Coordinates of all heavy atoms in Angstrom, one line a residue:
M1193 N 25.6 70.8 -15.9 CA 25.2 69.5 -15.4 C 24.7 69.5 -14.0 O 23.8 68.8 -13.7 CB 26.5 68.6 -15.5 CG 26.2 67.2 -15.1 SD 25.0 66.4 -16.2 CE 25.4 64.8 -16.0
T1194 N 25.3 70.4 -13.2 CA 24.8 70.5 -11.8 C 23.4 71.0 -11.7 O 22.6 70.5 -10.9 CB 25.7 71.5 -11.0 OG1 27.1 71.0 -11.1 CG2 25.3 71.6 -9.6
R1195 N 23.0 71.9 -12.6 CA 21.6 72.3 -12.6 C 20.6 71.2 -13.0 O 19.5 71.1 -12.4 CB 21.4 73.5 -13.6 CG 22.1 74.8 -13.1 CD 22.0 75.9 -14.1 NE 20.6 76.2 -14.4 CZ 20.3 77.0 -15.4 NH1 21.3 77.6 -16.1 NH2 19.1 77.2 -15.7
V1196 N 21.0 70.3 -13.9 CA 20.2 69.2 -14.3 C 20.0 68.3 -13.1 O 18.9 67.8 -12.7 CB 20.7 68.5 -15.5 CG1 20.0 67.2 -15.8 CG2 20.7 69.4 -16.7
L1197 N 21.2 67.9 -12.5 CA 21.1 67.0 -11.3 C 20.3 67.7 -10.1 O 19.6 67.0 -9.4 CB 22.5 66.7 -10.8 CG 23.3 65.7 -11.7 CD1 24.7 65.6 -11.2 CD2 22.6 64.4 -11.7
D1198 N 20.5 69.0 -10.0 CA 19.7 69.7 -8.9 C 18.2 69.6 -9.2 O 17.5 69.4 -8.3 CB 20.2 71.1 -8.9 CG 19.8 71.8 -7.6 OD1 19.8 71.1 -6.5 OD2 19.4 73.0 -7.6
W1199 N 17.8 69.7 -10.4 CA 16.4 69.6 -10.8 C 15.9 68.2 -10.5 O 14.8 68.0 -9.9 CB 16.2 70.0 -12.2 CG 14.7 70.0 -12.6 CD1 13.8 71.0 -12.4 CD2 13.9 68.9 -13.1 NE1 12.6 70.6 -12.8 CE2 12.6 69.3 -13.2 CE3 14.2 67.6 -13.4 CZ2 11.6 68.5 -13.7 CZ3 13.2 66.8 -13.9 CH2 11.9 67.2 -14.0
W1200 N 16.6 67.2 -10.8 CA 16.2 65.8 -10.6 C 16.2 65.4 -9.1 O 15.4 64.6 -8.7 CB 17.1 64.8 -11.4 CG 16.7 64.6 -12.8 CD1 17.2 65.2 -13.9 CD2 15.6 63.8 -13.3 NE1 16.6 64.8 -15.0 CE2 15.6 63.9 -14.7 CE3 14.7 62.9 -12.7 CZ2 14.7 63.3 -15.5 CZ3 13.8 62.2 -13.5 CH2 13.8 62.4 -14.8
L1201 N 17.2 65.9 -8.4 CA 17.4 65.3 -7.0 C 17.1 66.2 -5.9 O 17.0 65.8 -4.7 CB 18.9 64.9 -6.9 CG 19.4 63.9 -7.9 CD1 20.9 63.7 -7.8 CD2 18.7 62.6 -7.7
A1202 N 16.8 67.5 -6.1 CA 16.5 68.4 -5.0 C 15.2 68.1 -4.3 O 14.2 67.7 -5.0 CB 16.5 69.9 -5.5
D1203 N 15.2 68.2 -3.0 CA 14.0 67.9 -2.2 C 13.0 69.0 -2.4 O 13.2 70.1 -1.9 CB 14.5 67.7 -0.7 CG 13.3 67.3 0.2 OD1 12.1 67.4 -0.2 OD2 13.6 66.9 1.3
R1204 N 11.9 68.7 -3.0 CA 10.9 69.7 -3.3 C 10.1 70.1 -2.0 O 9.5 71.1 -2.0 CB 9.8 69.1 -4.3 CG 10.4 68.8 -5.7 CD 11.0 70.0 -6.4 NE 11.1 69.8 -7.8 CZ 12.1 69.4 -8.4 NH1 13.2 69.0 -7.7 NH2 12.2 69.3 -9.7
T1205 N 10.2 69.3 -1.0 CA 9.6 69.7 0.3 C 10.4 70.8 1.0 O 9.9 71.3 2.0 CB 9.3 68.5 1.2 OG1 10.5 67.9 1.6 CG2 8.4 67.5 0.5
R1206 N 11.6 71.0 0.6 CA 12.5 71.9 1.3 C 12.9 73.1 0.4 O 14.0 73.6 0.5 CB 13.7 71.2 1.8 CG 13.4 70.2 2.9 CD 14.7 69.6 3.4 NE 14.4 68.5 4.3 CZ 15.4 67.8 4.8 NH1 16.6 68.1 4.6 NH2 15.0 66.8 5.6
G1207 N 12.1 73.4 -0.6 CA 12.4 74.6 -1.4 C 12.7 74.3 -2.9 O 12.6 75.2 -3.7
G1208 N 13.1 73.1 -3.2 CA 13.3 72.7 -4.6 C 14.7 73.1 -5.1 O 15.6 73.4 -4.3
P1209 N 14.9 73.0 -6.4 CA 16.2 73.2 -7.1 C 16.9 74.5 -6.6 O 16.2 75.5 -6.6 CB 15.9 73.2 -8.6 CG 14.6 72.4 -8.7 CD 13.8 72.8 -7.4
G1210 N 18.1 74.4 -6.4 CA 18.9 75.6 -6.0 C 19.0 75.9 -4.6 O 19.8 76.7 -4.1
S1211 N 18.0 75.4 -3.8 CA 18.0 75.8 -2.4 C 17.8 74.6 -1.4 O 17.7 74.8 -0.2 CB 16.8 76.8 -2.1 OG 15.6 76.2 -2.4
A1212 N 17.7 73.4 -1.9 CA 17.4 72.2 -1.1 C 18.5 71.1 -1.3 O 19.1 71.1 -2.3 CB 16.0 71.7 -1.4
P1213 N 18.6 70.3 -0.3 CA 19.6 69.2 -0.4 C 19.1 68.1 -1.4 O 17.9 68.0 -1.7 CB 19.6 68.6 1.0 CG 18.3 69.0 1.6 CD 18.0 70.3 1.0
W1214 N 20.0 67.4 -1.9 CA 19.7 66.3 -2.9 C 19.2 65.1 -2.0 O 19.8 64.8 -1.0 CB 20.8 65.9 -3.7 CG 21.2 66.9 -4.7 CD1 20.6 68.1 -5.0 CD2 22.3 66.8 -5.7 NE1 21.3 68.8 -6.0 CE2 22.3 68.0 -6.4 CE3 23.3 65.9 -5.9 CZ2 23.2 68.2 -7.5 CZ3 24.2 66.1 -6.9 CH2 24.2 67.3 -7.7
V1215 N 18.2 64.4 -2.5 CA 17.7 63.3 -1.8 C 17.6 62.1 -2.8 O 16.9 62.2 -3.8 CB 16.3 63.5 -1.2 CG1 15.7 62.3 -0.6 CG2 16.3 64.7 -0.2
V1216 N 18.3 61.0 -2.5 CA 18.2 59.8 -3.3 C 17.5 58.7 -2.5 O 16.7 58.0 -3.0 CB 19.6 59.3 -3.7 CG1 19.5 58.0 -4.4 CG2 20.3 60.3 -4.5
G1217 N 17.7 58.6 -1.2 CA 17.0 57.7 -0.3 C 16.7 58.2 1.0 O 17.4 59.2 1.5
Q1218 N 15.7 57.7 1.7 CA 15.4 58.2 3.0 C 15.0 57.0 3.9 O 14.4 56.1 3.5 CB 14.2 59.1 3.0 CG 14.4 60.4 2.2 CD 13.2 61.2 2.1 OE1 12.2 60.7 1.6 NE2 13.2 62.5 2.5
W1219 N 15.4 57.1 5.2 CA 15.0 56.1 6.2 C 14.2 56.8 7.3 O 14.5 58.0 7.5 CB 16.2 55.4 6.8 CG 16.8 54.4 5.8 CD1 17.9 54.7 5.0 CD2 16.4 53.1 5.5 NE1 18.2 53.6 4.2 CE2 17.3 52.6 4.5 CE3 15.4 52.3 6.0 CZ2 17.2 51.3 4.0 CZ3 15.3 51.0 5.4 CH2 16.2 50.5 4.5
P1220 N 13.3 56.2 8.0 CA 12.8 54.9 7.8 C 11.9 54.7 6.7 O 11.1 55.7 6.4 CB 12.1 54.6 9.2 CG 11.6 55.9 9.6 CD 12.6 56.9 9.1
N1221 N 11.8 53.6 6.1 CA 10.9 53.3 5.0 C 10.3 51.9 5.2 O 10.9 50.9 4.9 CB 11.7 53.3 3.7 CG 10.8 53.5 2.5 OD1 9.8 52.8 2.5 ND2 11.2 54.3 1.5
P1222 N 9.1 51.9 5.8 CA 8.5 50.6 6.2 C 8.4 49.6 5.1 O 8.7 48.4 5.3 CB 7.2 51.0 6.8 CG 7.3 52.4 7.1 CD 8.3 53.0 6.2
A1223 N 8.0 50.0 3.9 CA 7.9 49.0 2.8 C 9.2 48.4 2.4 O 9.3 47.2 2.2 CB 7.2 49.7 1.6
L1224 N 10.3 49.2 2.4 CA 11.6 48.6 2.1 C 12.1 47.7 3.2 O 12.8 46.7 3.0 CB 12.6 49.7 1.8 CG 12.4 50.4 0.5 CD1 13.5 51.4 0.3 CD2 12.5 49.4 -0.7
V1225 N 11.7 48.0 4.5 CA 12.1 47.1 5.6 C 11.4 45.8 5.5 O 12.0 44.7 5.6 CB 11.8 47.8 6.9 CG1 11.9 46.8 8.1 CG2 12.7 49.0 7.2
V1226 N 10.1 45.8 5.1 CA 9.4 44.5 4.9 C 10.0 43.7 3.8 O 10.2 42.5 3.9 CB 7.9 44.8 4.6 CG1 7.2 43.6 4.1 CG2 7.2 45.4 5.8
F1227 N 10.4 44.4 2.7 CA 11.0 43.7 1.5 C 12.3 43.1 2.0 O 12.6 41.9 1.7 CB 11.3 44.7 0.4 CG 12.2 44.2 -0.6 CD1 11.8 43.2 -1.5 CD2 13.5 44.6 -0.7 CE1 12.7 42.6 -2.5 CE2 14.4 44.1 -1.7 CZ 14.0 43.1 -2.5
L1228 N 13.2 43.8 2.7 CA 14.5 43.3 3.1 C 14.3 42.1 4.1 O 15.0 41.1 4.0 CB 15.3 44.4 3.7 CG 15.8 45.5 2.8 CD1 16.5 46.6 3.5 CD2 16.7 44.9 1.7
L1229 N 13.3 42.2 5.0 CA 13.1 41.1 5.9 C 12.6 39.9 5.2 O 13.0 38.8 5.5 CB 12.1 41.5 7.0 CG 12.6 42.5 8.0 CD1 11.4 43.0 8.9 CD2 13.7 42.0 8.9
A1230 N 11.7 40.1 4.2 CA 11.3 38.9 3.4 C 12.4 38.3 2.6 O 12.5 37.1 2.5 CB 10.1 39.4 2.5
L1231 N 13.3 39.2 2.1 CA 14.4 38.7 1.3 C 15.4 37.8 2.2 O 15.7 36.7 1.9 CB 15.2 39.8 0.7 CG 16.5 39.5 0.0 CD1 16.1 38.7 -1.3 CD2 17.2 40.8 -0.4
V1232 N 15.7 38.3 3.4 CA 16.6 37.6 4.3 C 15.9 36.3 4.8 O 16.5 35.2 4.8 CB 16.9 38.5 5.5 CG1 17.6 37.6 6.6 CG2 17.8 39.6 5.1
A1233 N 14.6 36.4 5.1 CA 13.9 35.2 5.6 C 13.8 34.1 4.5 O 14.0 32.9 4.7 CB 12.4 35.6 6.0
R1234 N 13.6 34.6 3.2 CA 13.6 33.6 2.1 C 14.9 32.9 1.9 O 14.9 31.7 1.6 CB 13.3 34.4 0.8 CG 13.0 33.4 -0.3 CD 12.8 34.2 -1.6 NE 14.1 34.7 -2.0 CZ 14.3 35.4 -3.0 NH1 13.3 35.9 -3.8 NH2 15.5 35.8 -3.4
L1235 N 16.0 33.5 2.2 CA 17.3 32.9 2.1 C 17.6 31.9 3.2 O 18.4 31.0 2.9 CB 18.4 34.0 2.1 CG 18.4 35.0 1.0 CD1 19.4 36.1 1.2 CD2 18.6 34.3 -0.4
V1236 N 16.9 32.0 4.3 CA 17.2 31.0 5.4 C 16.1 30.0 5.6 O 16.2 29.0 6.3 CB 17.4 31.7 6.7 CG1 18.7 32.6 6.6 CG2 16.2 32.5 7.2
V1237 N 14.9 30.2 4.9 CA 13.8 29.2 5.1 C 14.0 28.1 4.1 O 14.1 28.3 2.9 CB 12.5 29.9 4.8 CG1 11.3 29.0 4.7 CG2 12.2 31.0 5.9
P1238 N 14.0 26.8 4.6 CA 14.2 25.7 3.7 C 13.0 25.2 3.0 O 13.1 24.6 1.9 CB 14.7 24.6 4.7 CG 14.1 24.9 6.0 CD 14.0 26.4 6.0
D1239 N 11.8 25.6 3.5 CA 10.6 25.1 2.9 C 10.2 25.9 1.6 O 10.1 27.1 1.6 CB 9.4 25.3 3.9 CG 8.1 24.8 3.3 OD1 8.0 23.8 2.6 OD2 7.1 25.5 3.6
P1240 N 10.1 25.2 0.4 CA 9.9 25.9 -0.8 C 8.6 26.7 -0.9 O 8.5 27.8 -1.4 CB 9.9 24.8 -1.9 CG 10.6 23.7 -1.3 CD 10.4 23.8 0.2
A1241 N 7.5 26.2 -0.2 CA 6.2 26.9 -0.2 C 6.3 28.2 0.6 O 5.8 29.2 0.1 CB 5.1 26.0 0.3
T1242 N 7.0 28.1 1.7 CA 7.1 29.3 2.5 C 8.0 30.3 1.8 O 7.8 31.5 1.8 CB 7.7 29.0 3.9 OG1 6.9 28.0 4.5 CG2 7.9 30.2 4.8
A1243 N 9.1 29.8 1.1 CA 10.0 30.7 0.4 C 9.2 31.4 -0.7 O 9.4 32.6 -1.0 CB 11.1 29.9 -0.2
E1244 N 8.3 30.7 -1.4 CA 7.5 31.3 -2.5 C 6.6 32.4 -1.9 O 6.4 33.4 -2.5 CB 6.7 30.2 -3.2 CG 6.0 30.7 -4.4 CD 6.9 31.3 -5.5 OE1 8.0 30.9 -5.7 OE2 6.5 32.3 -6.2
A1245 N 6.0 32.1 -0.8 CA 5.1 33.1 -0.1 C 5.9 34.3 0.3 O 5.4 35.5 0.1 CB 4.5 32.5 1.1
L1246 N 7.2 34.2 0.7 CA 8.0 35.3 1.1 C 8.4 36.1 -0.2 O 8.5 37.3 -0.1 CB 9.3 34.8 1.8 CG 9.0 34.3 3.2 CD1 10.3 33.6 3.7 CD2 8.6 35.5 4.1
V1247 N 8.5 35.5 -1.3 CA 8.7 36.2 -2.6 C 7.6 37.1 -2.9 O 7.7 38.3 -3.2 CB 9.0 35.2 -3.8 CG1 8.9 35.9 -5.1 CG2 10.3 34.5 -3.6
L1248 N 6.4 36.6 -2.7 CA 5.2 37.4 -2.9 C 5.1 38.5 -2.0 O 4.7 39.7 -2.3 CB 3.9 36.5 -2.9 CG 3.8 35.5 -4.0 CD1 2.5 34.6 -3.8 CD2 3.7 36.2 -5.4
V1249 N 5.4 38.3 -0.7 CA 5.4 39.4 0.3 C 6.4 40.5 -0.1 O 6.1 41.7 -0.1 CB 5.7 38.8 1.7 CG1 6.0 39.9 2.7 CG2 4.6 38.0 2.2
G1250 N 7.6 40.0 -0.5 CA 8.6 41.0 -1.0 C 8.2 41.8 -2.2 O 8.3 43.0 -2.2
R1251 N 7.5 41.1 -3.1 CA 7.1 41.8 -4.3 C 5.9 42.8 -4.0 O 5.9 43.9 -4.5 CB 6.5 40.9 -5.4 CG 7.6 40.2 -6.1 CD 7.1 39.3 -7.2 NE 8.2 38.5 -7.8 CZ 8.3 38.4 -9.1 NH1 7.3 38.8 -9.9 NH2 9.3 37.7 -9.6
G1252 N 5.1 42.4 -3.1 CA 4.0 43.3 -2.6 C 4.6 44.5 -1.9 O 4.1 45.6 -2.1
A1253 N 5.6 44.3 -1.1 CA 6.2 45.4 -0.4 C 6.8 46.4 -1.4 O 6.7 47.6 -1.2 CB 7.2 44.9 0.6
L1254 N 7.5 45.9 -2.4 CA 8.1 46.8 -3.4 C 7.1 47.5 -4.2 O 7.3 48.6 -4.6 CB 9.1 46.0 -4.3 CG 10.4 45.6 -3.8 CD1 11.2 44.8 -4.8 CD2 11.2 46.9 -3.3
L1255 N 6.0 46.8 -4.5 CA 4.9 47.5 -5.2 C 4.3 48.6 -4.4 O 4.1 49.7 -4.9 CB 3.8 46.5 -5.5 CG 2.6 47.0 -6.3 CD1 3.0 47.6 -7.6 CD2 1.5 45.9 -6.5
V1256 N 4.1 48.4 -3.1 CA 3.6 49.5 -2.2 C 4.7 50.6 -2.2 O 4.3 51.8 -2.2 CB 3.4 48.9 -0.8 CG1 3.2 50.1 0.2 CG2 2.2 48.0 -0.8
W1257 N 5.9 50.3 -2.1 CA 7.0 51.3 -2.0 C 7.0 52.1 -3.3 O 7.0 53.3 -3.3 CB 8.3 50.7 -1.8 CG 9.4 51.7 -1.9 CD1 9.9 52.5 -0.9 CD2 10.2 52.0 -3.0 NE1 10.9 53.3 -1.3 CE2 11.1 53.0 -2.6 CE3 10.2 51.6 -4.4 CZ2 12.0 53.6 -3.5 CZ3 11.1 52.2 -5.2 CH2 12.0 53.2 -4.8
G1258 N 6.9 51.4 -4.5 CA 6.9 52.1 -5.8 C 5.7 53.1 -5.9 O 5.8 54.2 -6.4
L1259 N 4.5 52.6 -5.5 CA 3.3 53.5 -5.6 C 3.5 54.7 -4.6 O 3.1 55.8 -5.0 CB 2.1 52.7 -5.3 CG 1.7 51.6 -6.3 CD1 0.5 50.8 -5.8 CD2 1.4 52.3 -7.6
D1260 N 4.0 54.4 -3.5 CA 4.2 55.5 -2.5 C 5.2 56.6 -3.1 O 4.9 57.8 -3.0 CB 4.7 55.0 -1.2 CG 4.9 56.1 -0.1 OD1 3.9 56.9 0.0 OD2 5.9 56.1 0.6
E1261 N 6.3 56.1 -3.7 CA 7.2 57.1 -4.3 C 6.6 57.8 -5.5 O 6.9 59.0 -5.7 CB 8.5 56.3 -4.7 CG 9.4 55.9 -3.6 CD 9.9 57.1 -2.7 OE1 10.1 58.2 -3.3 OE2 10.2 56.8 -1.6
L1262 N 5.8 57.1 -6.3 CA 5.2 57.7 -7.4 C 4.3 58.9 -7.0 O 4.3 59.9 -7.6 CB 4.4 56.7 -8.2 CG 3.7 57.2 -9.5 CD1 4.7 57.7 -10.5 CD2 2.9 56.0 -10.1
V1263 N 3.6 58.6 -5.9 CA 2.6 59.6 -5.4 C 3.2 60.7 -4.5 O 2.9 61.9 -4.7 CB 1.4 58.9 -4.7 CG1 0.5 59.9 -4.0 CG2 0.7 58.0 -5.6
R1264 N 4.1 60.3 -3.6 CA 4.7 61.2 -2.6 C 6.2 61.4 -2.7 O 6.8 62.0 -1.8 CB 4.3 60.7 -1.2 CG 2.9 60.6 -1.0 CD 2.6 60.2 0.5 NE 3.4 59.2 1.0 CZ 3.9 59.2 2.2 NH1 3.7 60.1 3.1 NH2 4.7 58.2 2.7
G1265 N 6.8 61.0 -3.8 CA 8.3 61.2 -3.9 C 8.6 62.7 -3.8 O 7.9 63.5 -4.4
V1266 N 9.8 63.0 -3.2 CA 10.1 64.4 -2.9 C 10.8 65.0 -4.1 O 11.1 66.2 -4.1 CB 11.0 64.5 -1.7 CG1 10.3 64.0 -0.4 CG2 12.3 63.8 -1.9
N1267 N 11.2 64.3 -5.2 CA 11.8 64.9 -6.4 C 11.5 64.0 -7.6 O 11.0 62.9 -7.4 CB 13.3 65.0 -6.2 CG 14.0 63.8 -5.8 OD1 13.7 62.7 -6.3 ND2 15.0 63.9 -4.9
P1268 N 11.7 64.5 -8.8 CA 11.4 63.7 -10.0 C 12.2 62.4 -10.0 O 11.6 61.4 -10.5 CB 11.9 64.6 -11.1 CG 11.7 66.0 -10.6 CD 12.1 65.9 -9.1
F1269 N 13.4 62.3 -9.5 CA 14.1 61.0 -9.5 C 13.4 60.0 -8.8 O 13.2 58.8 -9.2 CB 15.5 61.2 -9.0 CG 16.3 59.9 -8.7 CD1 16.8 59.2 -9.8 CD2 16.4 59.4 -7.4 CE1 17.5 58.0 -9.5 CE2 17.1 58.2 -7.2 CZ 17.6 57.5 -8.3
R1270 N 12.9 60.3 -7.6 CA 12.2 59.4 -6.7 C 10.9 58.9 -7.3 O 10.5 57.8 -7.2 CB 12.0 59.9 -5.3 CG 13.2 60.3 -4.5 CD 13.9 59.2 -3.8 NE 13.0 58.6 -2.8 CZ 13.0 58.8 -1.5 NH1 13.8 59.7 -1.0 NH2 12.1 58.2 -0.7
R1271 N 10.2 59.8 -8.0 CA 9.0 59.5 -8.6 C 9.2 58.6 -9.8 O 8.4 57.6 -10.0 CB 8.2 60.7 -9.1 CG 7.7 61.5 -7.9 CD 7.0 62.8 -8.2 NE 6.7 63.5 -7.0 CZ 5.5 63.9 -6.7 NH1 4.5 63.7 -7.6 NH2 5.3 64.6 -5.6
V1272 N 10.2 58.8 -10.6 CA 10.5 57.9 -11.8 C 11.0 56.6 -11.3 O 10.6 55.5 -11.8 CB 11.5 58.6 -12.7 CG1 12.0 57.6 -13.7 CG2 10.9 59.8 -13.4
L1273 N 11.8 56.6 -10.2 CA 12.2 55.3 -9.6 C 11.0 54.5 -9.1 O 10.9 53.3 -9.3 CB 13.2 55.6 -8.5 CG 13.9 54.4 -7.9 CD1 14.7 53.6 -8.9 CD2 14.7 54.8 -6.7
G1274 N 10.1 55.2 -8.4 CA 8.9 54.5 -8.0 C 8.1 53.9 -9.1 O 7.6 52.8 -9.0
L1275 N 7.9 54.7 -10.2 CA 7.2 54.2 -11.4 C 7.9 52.9 -11.9 O 7.2 51.9 -12.3 CB 7.1 55.3 -12.4 CG 6.4 54.9 -13.7 CD1 5.0 54.6 -13.5 CD2 6.6 56.0 -14.7
G1276 N 9.2 53.0 -12.0 CA 10.0 51.9 -12.6 C 9.9 50.6 -11.7 O 9.6 49.5 -12.2
V1277 N 10.1 50.8 -10.4 CA 10.0 49.6 -9.5 C 8.6 49.1 -9.4 O 8.4 47.9 -9.5 CB 10.6 50.0 -8.1 CG1 10.3 48.9 -7.1 CG2 12.1 50.3 -8.2
G1278 N 7.6 50.0 -9.3 CA 6.2 49.5 -9.3 C 5.8 48.8 -10.6 O 5.2 47.7 -10.5
G1279 N 6.2 49.3 -11.7 CA 5.9 48.7 -13.0 C 6.6 47.3 -13.1 O 6.0 46.3 -13.6
W1280 N 7.9 47.2 -12.6 CA 8.6 46.0 -12.7 C 7.9 44.9 -11.8 O 7.8 43.8 -12.2 CB 10.0 46.3 -12.2 CG 10.9 45.1 -12.0 CD1 11.1 44.0 -12.8 CD2 11.8 44.9 -10.8 NE1 12.0 43.1 -12.2 CE2 12.4 43.6 -11.0 CE3 12.0 45.6 -9.7 CZ2 13.3 43.1 -10.1 CZ3 12.9 45.1 -8.8 CH2 13.6 43.9 -9.0
Q1281 N 7.4 45.3 -10.7 CA 6.7 44.4 -9.8 C 5.4 43.9 -10.4 O 5.0 42.8 -10.3 CB 6.5 45.0 -8.4 CG 7.8 45.2 -7.6 CD 8.7 44.0 -7.7 OE1 8.3 42.9 -7.3 NE2 9.9 44.2 -8.1
V1282 N 4.6 44.9 -11.0 CA 3.4 44.5 -11.7 C 3.6 43.5 -12.8 O 3.0 42.4 -12.9 CB 2.7 45.7 -12.2 CG1 1.5 45.3 -13.2 CG2 2.1 46.6 -11.1
V1283 N 4.6 43.7 -13.6 CA 5.0 42.8 -14.7 C 5.4 41.4 -14.0 O 5.0 40.3 -14.5 CB 6.1 43.3 -15.6 CG1 6.7 42.2 -16.5 CG2 5.6 44.5 -16.4
G1284 N 6.2 41.4 -13.0 CA 6.6 40.2 -12.3 C 5.4 39.4 -11.7 O 5.4 38.2 -11.8
L1285 N 4.5 40.1 -11.2 CA 3.3 39.5 -10.6 C 2.4 38.9 -11.7 O 1.8 37.8 -11.6 CB 2.5 40.4 -9.7 CG 3.2 40.7 -8.4 CD1 2.4 41.9 -7.7 CD2 3.2 39.5 -7.5
L1286 N 2.3 39.6 -12.8 CA 1.4 39.1 -13.9 C 2.0 38.0 -14.7 O 1.3 37.1 -15.2 CB 1.1 40.3 -14.9 CG 0.3 41.4 -14.4 CD1 0.2 42.5 -15.4 CD2 -1.1 40.9 -14.0
T1287 N 3.4 37.9 -14.7 CA 4.0 36.8 -15.4 C 4.4 35.6 -14.5 O 4.9 34.6 -15.0 CB 5.3 37.3 -16.1 OG1 6.2 37.8 -15.2 CG2 4.9 38.3 -17.2
A1288 N 4.2 35.7 -13.2 CA 4.5 34.6 -12.3 C 3.6 33.5 -12.4 O 2.4 33.5 -12.7 CB 4.6 35.2 -10.9

């Protein structure tokens, strides 16, 4: 089981499975910071139109984050996560 987790989570920029630390998240991450700021702002803004605009900003930030992880993720877990979050945001934007 450890070998499977090592394959999914090992940082490929530092040697890969068996020789590198596991990476699940990394900071700083500008797209996630934008998403979190939009989320907090949406919770405190009373104007519905502004809140809706902040939802779109947050979705856009998550889409950028997902695409970045899909292309530059340091391990398979991060790339699959980026694909999932990016796909979720595309579906959300198309159905909104």
Side-chain angles (χ1 to χ4, degrees):
M1193 183 64 159
T1194 302
R1195 289 176 56 190
V1196 171
L1197 286 175
D1198 197 37
W1199 185 85
W1200 275 100
L1201 299 174
D1203 185 344
R1204 299 296 201 270
T1205 63
R1206 296 185 188 176
S1211 63
W1214 289 359
V1215 177
V1216 176
Q1218 295 173 307
W1219 288 97
N1221 196 319
L1224 286 181
V1225 170
V1226 170
F1227 166 73
L1228 292 173
L1229 289 173
L1231 179 67
V1232 170
R1234 189 185 73 183
L1235 295 174
V1236 298
V1237 169
D1239 179 41
T1242 305
E1244 186 61 32
L1246 289 168
V1247 167
L1248 292 176
V1249 168
R1251 285 183 183 222
L1254 282 181
L1255 181 60
V1256 167
W1257 177 84
L1259 291 173
D1260 183 46
E1261 287 297 333
L1262 181 62
V1263 173
R1264 298 185 318 139
V1266 298
N1267 57 38
F1269 171 76
R1270 299 276 300 263
R1271 289 176 186 235
V1272 170
L1273 185 63
L1275 178 65
V1277 170
W1280 173 45
Q1281 294 311 306
V1282 168
V1283 169
L1285 288 169
L1286 292 176
T1287 59

